[in-house]
Amino acid sequence: MNDELILNPRVHFQIGNGELRGDNVQHSYRVIRDLKHIFLQEQTREQMDQDILVYEVQVYFPVEEGTEGGLYFGNSTIYPGKVGDEYFITKGHFHSQKDRAEFYWGIYGEGMLILMDESGKIWAEKMIPGSLHYIPGKTAHRVANTGHEPLRFGACWPSDAGHDYKSIANTGFSARLLDVNGIPQLIKS
Ligand code: S6P
Ligand code: ZN
């Protein structure tokens, strides 16, 4: 066998649970402390245990950030919980290169993908294991866990997309996913 031509895989993706392991896989965590002004009820967030883990992200970066024409592949796990009436949720972002799209897909758990276009029009798609979501360019996206178990979803996006968190910090999402008598509802804010 010619060892130089036939290589062993350097990154592994666990088919059942989406777990990523290998070279150039990075793992990051967001606890309550990191999520200042992300939730509607900021005072409630301040009073919570700041070390509670809200979500974690694994990403395989095969190319340097900003590379044109490359792709990134990752997963995010959002833990069950709420800040007041609002479900635990990712910060959410537009892509810095505004027209860059992304795929999300549900792996386990249940939740809601919240999407908002540049005019502030907002809608949500139910996320369940096997659901596939196309996020068009110029569309802010974030995911909430509406269940009692962790929610994991996969993601694939262009390596030159970048993350614009600033526009969201300035104007926020135009609606919030709240627990209204046990039912998730998008409420305009
Ligand atoms: C990247 C992709 C995801 C999110 C992750 C965390 O474009 O959309 O990997 O980064 O779900 O969300 P956020 O909004 O905190 O980056
Ligand atoms: Zn994104």
Side-chain angles (χ1 to χ4, degrees):
M1 188 168 95
N2 190 331
D3 288 343
E4 280 171 25
L5 291 181
I6 299 176
L7 308 177
N8 284 318
R10 305 185 78 156
V11 178
H12 289 265
F13 161 71
Q14 213 161 313
I15 288 181
N17 65 13
E19 195 72 13
L20 282 174
R21 289 279 178 269
D23 291 353
N24 301 317
V25 173
Q26 289 178 22
H27 206 150
S28 60
Y29 301 84
R30 295 270 182 265
V31 296
I32 285 287
R33 178 183 299 104
D34 303 319
L35 299 171
K36 230 177 189 178
H37 302 296
I38 293 300
F39 295 94
L40 194 58
Q41 287 148 296
E42 171 59 15
Q43 271 191 357
T44 308
R45 187 202 65 84
E46 272 175 2
Q47 288 157 7
M48 290 169 70
D49 175 350
Q50 297 296 297
D51 293 322
I52 294 172
L53 181 58
V54 179
Y55 63 97
E56 57 184 286
V57 181
Q58 299 176 342
V59 182
Y60 172 34
F61 292 99
V63 293
E64 212 174 293
E65 281 216 71
T67 304
E68 206 179 311
L71 291 171
Y72 292 149
F73 187 93
N75 68 62
S76 302
T77 309
I78 309 171
Y79 292 92
K82 278 182 280 185
V83 174
D85 297 332
E86 191 173 5
Y87 298 98
F88 277 5
I89 195 161
T90 57
K91 287 165 74 166
H93 55 270
F94 285 99
H95 290 148
S96 308
Q97 298 257 36
K98 291 190 177 299
D99 63 355
R100 299 305 192 256
E102 183 163 4
F103 272 120
Y104 275 4
W105 58 96
I107 297 174
Y108 56 71
E110 55 185 78
M112 211 77 91
L113 165 62
I114 297 158
L115 299 158
M116 181 180 74
D117 71 15
E118 288 182 310
S119 72
K121 185 183 146 219
I122 200 162
W123 68 102
E125 295 179 10
K126 285 185 185 169
M127 192 177 256
I128 54 170
S131 61
L132 183 60
H133 310 267
Y134 179 70
I135 302 165
K138 303 179 185 177
T139 307
H141 42 287
R142 67 193 319 198
V143 174
N145 183 343
T146 55
H148 299 289
E149 305 293 333
L151 160 70
R152 178 172 280 179
F153 64 92
C156 185
W157 68 100
S159 47
D160 64 351
H163 294 88
D164 168 16
Y165 295 106
K166 222 170 173 189
S167 305
I168 299 300
N170 292 342
T171 55
F173 275 77
S174 57
R176 302 287 185 154
L177 193 72
L178 303 181
D179 175 341
V180 181
N181 302 319
I183 297 172
Q185 297 214 8
L186 258 187
I187 308 284
K188 296 242 152 117
S189 49

